[in-house]
Amino acid sequence: MSFSYDGSKYNGYQKQPDAKTIQDEIEKVLKKINSNNDVSLVASGRTDAGVHAYSQHAHFDLVNELDCAKLRNSMNSLLPKDIYVKAIAIVDDDFHARFNVKAKEYIYKINMGNYNPIEKDYIYQYNKRLDIPEMSRALKYLEGTHDFRAFVKIDEEKNDYVRTIVNTNLIRDSKNVNLITISILGTGFMRYMVRNIVGTLIEIGEGKYKSEDIIKIMEQKDRKNAGACAPACGLYLKDVYY
Amino acid sequence: MSFSYDGSKYNGYQKQPDAKTIQDEIEKVLKKINSNNDVSLVASGRTDAGVHAYSQHAHFDLVNELDCAKLRNSMNSLLPKDIYVKAIAIVDDDFHARFNVKAKEYIYKINMGNYNPIEKDYIYQYNKRLDIPEMSRALKYLEGTHDFRAFVKIDEEKNDYVRTIVNTNLIRDSKNVNLITISILGTGFMRYMVRNIVGTLIEIGEGKYKSEDIIKIMEQKDRKNAGACAPACGLYLKDVYY
């Protein structure tokens, strides 16, 4: 199943006690459709509170085989209006929405212009000028296979921080020159990795560091040397590739 | 004062008992700043529940003269994040934010593509194809001075329904071909007029009427012959001219 959601009113994708989450809303609907049997939704990965998805993917099993188009329509009629099932297809029994991910694309939106209350939950209201060419150059240094420890919280039990960023882009909107969109396509991402990368790019755009400094920051493998975590509202899971 | 707001969580601009309104939020803040004396905000006009404003305008009087830039900053620090004061300037004593309006511009956004939960409060999710050239032609027939009775609710006490539409545009977004934006600049608008015009354009886009039929609809001066009122979420007060 591929689905999109507005994350602004949820406590993230992943189910947790006493909090409104995307997973919970979808599982509640699937349980109704599945003759009141519990359904576990396995997504490509979580998204944090306030983060949006244009195309998240998940798999699940139902008691009875149902027509995919009808299932999609039933789900959309029962789901809240800020979650939407885009497509459903039957997959092989061994398909796994998380383990089979080949790549994911995230985008991050920043408004350098005046504060806009209408887009506050959807575009990071940075509201100051940034050095776009310098940020673009820095972003390009991240492409390839690197140890991304500098951009994540260290987890004592984990020791593999190497990921591959396949492609990146920083685009300035042709009509609204104050809107910049950063896109990052990679084979794997860790929690807060994109937001920490964006936070670092912003400090480069402010002139605090030069574009090449991002290489040093990566090599130092110390979260403290990278920039602050950029706000959740600007982040979108754009697509998941299998 | 010029200000912008996200109307999605408000019961419209205008103050009313037991409802959250934009005017109320701003007047509460102004009262605090005005040594706890009540302040009446006089806007260019109301906007209905769910309608947004890129640039609404209003005037008010304070007990003491304050520095405009400082006043703006104080207001923005006290206002909820979905209302934002863009600029404040001192005006002549006889300036009136409603009576002195020379023209207003409204825009209306429609998504003809797939339902997008992320933009549901900001773009009308029509989610079907529309005949754009036919709608554009119909829109152009509205330019000029006409009796717009067909597009408003008849008020027994009112008999002047003649207004002038100075300029109109229907633009299909160059990147997102499913996004259409209708803009209408006029010297005066009546309640629901823009939304009823858009609703009629949509029925023309659906092929229910031809573009020229809008002339007949206008001439018949009967609300029943025009299209349904388009949802509030797609409507924005773009600017007010004095």
Side-chain angles (χ1 to χ4, degrees), chain B:
Chain B
M1 172 174 75
S2 65
F3 55 110
S4 51
Y5 48 83
D6 175 345
S8 56
K9 279 150 209 97
Y10 292 92
N11 220 321
Y13 168 77
Q14 193 169 270
K15 203 153 67 167
Q16 48 182 296
D18 306 317
K20 198 180 161 200
T21 66
I22 313 282
Q23 186 181 3
D24 247 337
E25 296 292 329
I26 301 178
E27 287 186 351
K28 264 194 286 182
V29 163
L30 280 173
K31 186 176 176 176
K32 259 186 215 164
I33 292 170
N34 198 37
S35 317
N36 223 29
N37 294 298
D38 283 329
V39 178
S40 293
L41 199 63
V42 180
S44 72
R46 68 173 92 176
T47 57
D48 291 307
V51 174
H52 315 291
Y54 283 128
S55 193
Q56 168 69 288
H57 287 66
H59 80 254
F60 55 89
D61 297 293
L62 296 181
V63 172
N64 299 305
E65 191 167 319
L66 295 171
D67 176 80
C68 290
K70 278 186 197 156
L71 173 60
R72 173 178 173 268
N73 291 343
S74 318
M75 289 183 72
N76 282 330
S77 70
L78 295 168
L79 280 168
K81 290 287 163 227
D82 48 10
I83 303 174
Y84 182 69
V85 177
K86 297 172 80 173
I88 299 180
I90 293 170
V91 287
D92 292 339
D93 280 345
D94 62 353
F95 175 84
H96 194 286
R98 182 149 57 94
F99 301 148
N100 293 14
V101 171
K102 285 222 172 67
K104 273 183 176 181
E105 186 174 11
Y106 282 95
I107 65 169
Y108 196 94
K109 300 185 188 184
I110 302 170
N111 173 24
M112 300 189 298
N114 293 327
Y115 178 77
N116 183 344
I118 299 165
E119 57 189 34
K120 73 170 173 46
D121 293 331
Y122 307 98
I123 302 176
Y124 171 35
Q125 299 298 307
Y126 179 73
N127 307 131
K128 289 184 290 277
R129 272 259 164 286
L130 286 165
D131 185 335
I132 308 288
E134 202 64 22
M135 287 171 78
S136 294
R137 276 190 293 272
L139 182 61
K140 285 292 163 195
Y141 287 125
L142 299 178
E143 292 183 4
T145 302
H146 305 282
D147 186 315
F148 286 99
R149 207 174 301 229
F151 302 107
V152 295
K153 213 177 124 196
I154 298 306
D155 176 341
E156 297 304 324
E157 284 169 39
K158 182 171 175 168
N159 44 37
D160 180 20
Y161 296 90
V162 175
R163 296 291 183 278
T164 300
I165 292 183
V166 178
N167 191 39
T168 64
N169 265 304
L170 191 153
I171 292 164
R172 196 162 177 173
D173 194 86
S174 53
K175 277 195 296 190
N176 175 3
V177 292
N178 287 316
L179 173 64
I180 62 178
T181 303
I182 295 164
S183 65
I184 304 182
L185 175 71
T187 56
F189 290 91
M190 293 168 280
R191 200 170 186 191
Y192 301 129
M193 180 171 145
V194 177
R195 289 163 62 189
N196 287 334
I197 286 173
V198 170
T200 308
L201 292 176
I202 286 173
E203 297 194 357
I204 289 167
E206 286 168 339
K208 197 169 158 189
Y209 304 108
K210 300 303 286 175
S211 56
E212 319 82 82
D213 292 338
I214 206 161
I215 305 172
K216 226 185 328 171
I217 292 170
M218 259 198 297
E219 284 170 354
Q220 288 163 343
K221 298 183 183 127
D222 186 347
R223 174 74 193 86
K224 286 197 297 292
N225 298 338
C229 185
C233 66
L235 185 63
Y236 296 72
L237 173 57
K238 173 90 182 295
D239 213 347
V240 183
Y241 300 92
Y242 291 97

